[in-house]
Amino acid sequence: MIIELTSELEGALIDLPLPPWELDVPFLAKSTRESYRAEVTAVPRFEETVTALRRALTGEGGGYVVLRLGRLAKALDGADSDRFLRLATAFAAEVAVPFSPFPAWPLWKDIGVKVDKDPGKSSGIGYNAFHMDLVNGTLPPDYTTLLCVRPDPLGGGPSILSDPHAAIARLSQDHRALLAEAAYHYGTFFDLHGVGEEYKPFPVLDGEPGEGFVRFTAKMLQRSELGRDHADAARALAEELVRGQVSFMLQTGDYLIVNQRRFLHGREALQNGQENVPAPDRRLLLQLFLRTASGTGAGPAA
């Protein structure tokens, strides 16, 4: 779903005096959340927009939304300016509690383009297959969010999303049984905050059917040693995810929010010729993770 802000709401938000945020590591401090909420909820049409946002993320058939903030970004000196990021953070905090699991990074984590990186990584130039972020933590983020500062100037890199529960429903009973076994593993787990302990091995189907996490990353098919039957089941799921995918291009100021219990995400390859694009002009996203208040121990903002 795409949500456009009304011109009335945009005009009111432009002059909103949101202070710099503070962290109660790894979470956005409750005092900041309360301060932001007091300011934004007084703005006409804000609550109406947030209600639509929450419904798109958690209502029947929902699970992701693109919040169009491009005009606000332009008015506030760019999608990576301090004033704009405070507004984006205020919107995020109305969904769940923002946090950073990476001590070396601030609240928002840069995802730029590096031509010498593994092409399949988030900062690479190739196809980034369907995955769930921090798949191997016992408490993965409930939401993953991506703010587009700059799209690929060459026109590549559409975002892709797929409903894993719908994909699983199309699999055989044998494949579903294998995916429910704790036989999968992927990646490393080091110096992370707010995502629990390392989960290894883990089941792909983790929780009640249609409600729990689908702990899946297609990268484990190439980078983890899986038994043949379990790998076949994961491969079948990967194929169904592609079959059911949706794709779209994020533009400057677009804010993609994904409910990780409902959807997996990824990215098509960037357009050829990235090595000829100056580094400051390449695609740039900022990533922010969200945790429902029940998983933080921090309590709601209001």
Side-chain angles (χ1 to χ4, degrees):
M1 179 178 180
I2 294 176
I3 295 180
E4 300 265 7
L5 303 192
T6 66
S7 57
E8 178 186 12
L9 177 55
E10 288 175 335
L13 291 174
I14 286 173
D15 297 322
L16 209 60
L18 296 180
W21 61 69
E22 295 182 358
L23 296 181
D24 183 6
V25 177
F27 300 105
L28 184 68
K30 185 178 180 181
S31 59
T32 298
R33 289 184 280 129
E34 290 175 339
S35 173
Y36 284 10
R37 184 155 226 281
E39 293 290 345
V40 295
T41 54
V43 173
R45 308 296 292 273
F46 181 83
E47 290 278 33
E48 177 184 327
T49 302
V50 166
T51 297
L53 174 61
R54 292 170 179 157
R55 186 183 302 119
L57 291 168
T58 62
E60 184 176 356
Y64 72 90
V65 67
V66 176
L67 194 58
R68 285 272 158 87
L69 304 177
R71 292 189 296 269
L72 269 178
K74 184 176 182 180
L76 294 173
D77 301 321
D80 57 348
S81 68
D82 289 344
R83 291 176 64 202
F84 179 76
L85 284 180
R86 290 172 198 168
L87 274 177
T89 303
F91 272 106
E94 291 296 309
V95 174
V97 182
F99 78 104
S100 173
F102 309 108
W105 290 90
L107 191 61
W108 293 82
K109 178 180 182 291
D110 289 8
I111 301 179
V113 174
K114 299 178 181 178
V115 296
D116 57 345
K117 291 279 285 188
D118 180 340
K121 295 285 190 179
S122 59
S123 58
I125 63 176
Y127 174 66
N128 188 12
F130 282 113
H131 63 281
M132 170 186 162
D133 285 329
L134 294 157
V135 66
N136 60 339
T138 55
L139 292 173
D142 295 293
Y143 297 88
T144 184
T145 80
L146 294 166
L147 177 63
C148 182
V149 176
R150 276 189 308 277
D152 178 7
L154 301 181
S159 295
I160 54 175
L161 293 166
S162 193
D163 179 347
H165 300 288
I168 288 162
R170 298 191 293 268
L171 298 179
S172 70
Q173 184 175 349
D174 287 344
H175 279 161
R176 290 198 297 269
L178 287 163
L179 292 170
E181 295 178 0
Y184 296 88
H185 54 94
Y186 175 77
T188 59
F189 194 92
F190 176 73
D191 199 18
L192 298 176
H193 292 171
V195 292
E197 305 297 327
E198 183 174 17
Y199 198 1
K200 179 181 178 180
F202 53 80
V204 170
L205 306 186
D206 188 14
E208 294 298 319
E211 297 181 4
F213 287 115
V214 177
R215 291 179 176 273
F216 182 77
T217 171
K219 298 171 188 176
M220 64 187 177
L221 290 167
Q222 289 78 38
R223 301 176 187 178
S224 300
E225 294 183 3
L226 304 176
R228 185 180 64 182
D229 290 345
H230 291 97
D232 286 346
R235 191 169 294 108
L237 175 54
E239 292 170 357
E240 289 298 331
L241 288 168
V242 172
R243 196 187 315 277
Q245 79 176 38
V246 296
S247 65
F248 46 84
M249 292 291 296
L250 294 176
Q251 301 300 324
T252 299
D254 281 356
Y255 188 27
L256 171 63
I257 305 176
V258 181
N259 183 339
Q260 291 217 112
R261 296 181 184 273
R262 300 280 188 93
F263 275 82
L264 301 180
H265 68 287
R267 184 207 64 227
E268 299 284 5
L270 302 182
Q271 192 62 261
N272 292 335
Q274 295 296 317
E275 65 279 1
N276 298 319
V277 178
D281 297 335
R282 294 174 187 157
R283 184 178 190 261
L284 176 62
L285 303 181
L286 299 180
Q287 186 170 43
L288 176 67
F289 297 105
L290 308 178
R291 164 87 62 229
T292 57
S294 61
T296 66

